[in-house]
Amino acid sequence: AFAQAPEVKKAPAKKAAAPDPSFAPITEVAGLPRVLLIGDSISMGYTLDVRERLKGRANVLRPGENCGDSGRGLRSLDKWLGTGKWDVIHFNFGLHDLKYLDAAGKYVPPDQGKQVASPEDHERNLRAIVARLKQTGAKLIFATTTPVPDKSSGRVQHDELRYNAAAVRVMKELGVAIDDLHAFVQPRQDKIQLPHNVHFTPDGYRQLGEVVTASISAQLPATK
């Protein structure tokens, strides 16, 4: 008789993480201006708030993904823009450009990895991004990158200042409106941002949503 093979216990299947609520498709209201939010997890955090605040005034959409760094943004713009008409595009890249990764793509201290994009790469990518976004005829708004606190994983405190300086130079030169989220966060950082983390508290995202809504409202076409 054959010896019975020992039973191999299967590890329980990992539950797939639920998609971020900001990725859920929306039903657009015909006739309202169309607003596109492009950005990383910070923008994901304020998307629902902005959508709620602009209810009945604009359709607020975003890509169903974290938009990541500016290089990825440049490669993905055509997909994100689709074929519809946009009235306002509010966009940001920065926190993923300045992070340090190792060869396996893991967050590491600066001496153990490589920065995703230098400030020079960031600037070059932003110029190309703005050129593409201008082809849509939409009003453009660039959001400055929010502060990097001390001991943030894979990032250096205050590094965003170099990237924002490059971005602001590009936007001023190319006539793009600026939503200075960095200046808004700075004086209240300890109250609305998580410690040693680039992300925000629920109230922090709500406050960011208020600021973003105001910047978009100023660019919305007059209602007929």
Side-chain angles (χ1 to χ4, degrees), residues 20-33:
D20 192 273
S22 69
F23 298 162
I26 65 159
T27 305
E28 294 191 51
V29 178
L32 290 184

Side-chain angles (χ1 to χ4, degrees), residues 54-101:
L54 288 173
K55 207 176 193 167
R57 294 170 55 207
N59 294 308
V60 178
L61 296 98
R62 68 159 297 117
E65 59 185 298
N66 181 322
C67 299
D69 63 272
S70 59
R72 179 177 175 188
L74 198 48
R75 295 189 297 274
S76 309
L77 279 184
D78 287 345
K79 174 179 72 173
W80 296 340
L81 292 169
T83 53
K85 178 189 184 296
W86 296 104
D87 294 283
V88 179
I89 300 173
H90 183 283
F91 67 107
N92 163 267
F93 295 97
L95 286 175
H96 286 266
D97 287 55
L98 56 79
K99 67 186 179 183
Y100 287 84
L101 302 177

Side-chain angles (χ1 to χ4, degrees), residues 187-208:
R188 42 183 78 74
Q189 193 174 351
D190 57 339
K191 292 187 180 69
I192 67 172
Q193 195 172 32
L194 301 174
H196 317 307
N197 192 312
V198 294
H199 297 102
F200 291 84
T201 65
D203 184 54
Y205 282 121
R206 187 193 60 73
Q207 291 189 39
L208 285 172

Side-chain angles (χ1 to χ4, degrees), residues 149-170:
D150 68 323
K151 303 192 184 93
S152 302
S153 182
R155 296 180 174 97
V156 175
Q157 186 179 18
H158 305 316
D159 220 5
E160 81 282 353
L161 297 174
R162 298 188 299 145
Y163 288 75
N164 279 336
V168 166
R169 185 164 60 243
V170 171

